[in-house]
């Protein structure tokens, strides 16, 4: 155990140094995309779990208990490997762009927000965006067969709510792209956009409309009782405050984290029916979800692929037109894990997928080659997104997109999104759509 802790501490120090070189600063008061990934996705959700598992302090967890010692050790080693190679990929992207991203980010923080249009334009944009948000949410509600959050909170039927949550994805009667792109993606970005205007222009008009936008977004993200989306949405405001005000007070960081913890506990009490004391115990679902759950899926991937789960997932992520043309398998490794782990839940419709740290999917899809190169690829994609912000003007829309992408990078959700640049495609499409809306509004007002 002492050797594990010593090696882990040494790698943690080396990883922190490399991430700092790539980001410029790792201060909580100047949180960026890179430092967020390091602190929350790697340290909180993965690194701590790998140590707890390898020294035997998580043996009772329902996922960890079915893994063998060899897999647990390899899992720990691969996490440490990724912690060193990810920032190396980031620094490699800096070389490609011949940019000192550290100095550029600090410079970006110290410049003022750029407003390229008259105030009447921004007020018109906000009104249009709110109307758009309302119409999209109305469409989503119309296409849902049931609303899981009402089933869970009002009727206290948590098992049925879990089934409805799965059905809300698979049995959605509308167009998936409208719900996912314009609903779950774009509406939170719109709220971020309005928030930036409310904080920089100091006009009650923006503050009032931000309140309504925040309520709409919160309602949308809570519809299917998922806890992570609303928490990430709230945490995104920390990123925005850093970008707008150059930094935030450490006291406010702790206050924000305290509020987030309170929201988490409240959500679990409402969705599970358990009391607060039981939720704060050592083996509580909250602590298991934060520290172990995402990592457990990675270990199951290492243990079950390809010996137990023999179905190939190497083609997952290719465009649907190619997959359909060549009749390639379309079931993700995360789905196959759940089918083997909880076949009854899958059959009932209450269990969907087991997401994990991206190394898990890299192994399941591409084996040793995937594990070796995945951290470099992930690091390069993240750094590209970070650089894209700091080399452009400090506009409200770019800051809003940056904050949302930061909260939804998916480092603990898989590797395919990074390999096929899906982390870039959807945001790029939505940014183009946003610019199109700006063009329409600007020409309609003849500004």
């Amino acid at each position: 155990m002492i050797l594990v802790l010593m090696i882990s501490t040494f790698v943690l120090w080396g990883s922190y140094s490399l991430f700092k070189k790539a980001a410029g600063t790792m201060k909580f008061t100047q949180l960026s995309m890179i430092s967020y990934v390091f602190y929350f996705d790697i340290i909180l959700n993965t690194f701590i779990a790998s140590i707890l598992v390898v020294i035997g302090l998580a043996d009772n967890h329902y996922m960890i208990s079915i893994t063998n010692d060899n897999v647990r050790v390899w899992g720990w080693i691969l996490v440490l490997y990724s912690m060193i190679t990810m920032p190396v990929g980031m620094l490699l992207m800096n070389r490609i762009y011949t940019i000192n991203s550290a100095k550029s980010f600090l410079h970006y923080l110290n410049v003022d927000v750029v407003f390229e249009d008259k105030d009447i334009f921004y007020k018109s944009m906000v009104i249009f965006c709110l109307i758009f948000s309302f119409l999209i949410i109305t469409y989503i509600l119309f296409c849902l067969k049931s609303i899981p959050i009402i089933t869970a909170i009002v009727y206290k039927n948590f098992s049925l709510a879990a089934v409805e949550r799965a059905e809300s994805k698979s049995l959605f009667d509308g167009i998936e792209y409208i719900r996912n792109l314009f609903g779950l993606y774009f509406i939170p970005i719109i709220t971020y956009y309005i928030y930036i205007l409310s904080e920089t222009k100091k006009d009650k008009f923006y503050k009032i409309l931000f309140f309504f936008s925040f309520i709409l977004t919160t309602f949308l993200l809570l519809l299917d009782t998922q806890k992570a989306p609303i928490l990430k949405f709230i945490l995104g405001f920390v990123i925005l405050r850093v970008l707008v005000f150059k930094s935030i007070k450490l006291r406010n960081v702790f206050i924000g984290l305290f509020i987030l913890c309170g929201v988490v506990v409240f959500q679990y009490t409402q969705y599970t029916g358990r009391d607060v004391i039981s939720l704060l115990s050592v083996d509580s679902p909250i602590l298991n979800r934060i520290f172990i759950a995402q990592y457990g899926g990675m270990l199951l991937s290492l243990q079950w692929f390809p010996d137990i789960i023999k179905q190939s997932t190497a083609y997952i992520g290719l465009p649907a037109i190619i997959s359909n043309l060549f009749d390639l398998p379309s079931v993700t490794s995360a789905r196959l894990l759940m089918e083997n782990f909880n076949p009854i839940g899958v059959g009932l419709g209450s269990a969907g997928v087991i997401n994990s740290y991206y190394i898990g999917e890299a192994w399941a899809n591409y084996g040793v080659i995937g594990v070796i190169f995945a951290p470099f690829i992930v690091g390069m994609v993240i750094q590209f997104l970070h650089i894209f912000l700091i080399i452009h003007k400090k506009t409200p829309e770019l800051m809003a997109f940056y904050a949302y992408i930061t909260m939804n990078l998916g480092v603990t959700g898989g590797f395919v999104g990074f390999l096929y640049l899906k982390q870039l495609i959807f945001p790029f499409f939505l940014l183009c759509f946003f610019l199109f809306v700006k063009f329409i509004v600007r020409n309609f007002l003849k500004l």
Side-chain angles (χ1 to χ4, degrees), residues 319-343:
I321 187 173
I322 296 178
S323 299
N324 295 334
L325 180 64
F326 295 98
D327 194 26
L328 300 175
S330 59
V331 182
T332 65
S333 62
R335 179 63 175 181
L336 293 175
L337 285 178
M338 184 60 81
E339 289 177 354
N340 281 265
F341 180 77
N342 186 11

Side-chain angles (χ1 to χ4, degrees), residues 340-357:
N340 281 265
F341 180 77
N342 186 11
I344 296 176
V346 171
L348 293 174
S350 60
V353 297
I354 298 180
N355 288 319
S356 68
Y357 189 51

Side-chain angles (χ1 to χ4, degrees), residues 42-84:
I42 296 178
I43 302 301
L44 190 64
N45 289 148
T46 310
F47 175 71
I48 294 175
S50 70
I51 296 175
L52 293 176
V53 169
V54 81
I55 63 178
L57 295 181
D59 291 347
N60 293 329
H61 188 272
Y62 59 92
M63 285 189 192
I64 306 305
S65 61
I66 59 177
T67 60
N68 60 53
D69 291 339
N70 187 50
V71 164
R72 298 180 189 186
V73 172
W74 272 108
W76 170 67
I77 292 173
L78 291 177
V79 168
L80 298 186
Y81 168 76
S82 71
M83 290 174 63
I84 296 297

Side-chain angles (χ1 to χ4, degrees), residues 217-235:
T217 305
T218 300
F219 174 72
L220 174 65
L221 297 179
L222 289 176
L223 273 180
D224 62 357
T225 72
Q226 289 191 77
K227 293 164 282 295
I230 187 62
L231 295 176
K232 290 183 177 181
F233 170 66
I234 294 173
L235 191 57

Side-chain angles (χ1 to χ4, degrees), residues 242-258:
V242 170
L243 296 179
V244 173
F245 298 108
K246 305 175 182 60
S247 67
I248 56 176
K249 295 180 180 179
L250 189 60
R251 179 188 63 185
N252 293 338
V253 173
F254 287 115
I255 291 175
L257 291 175
F258 179 79

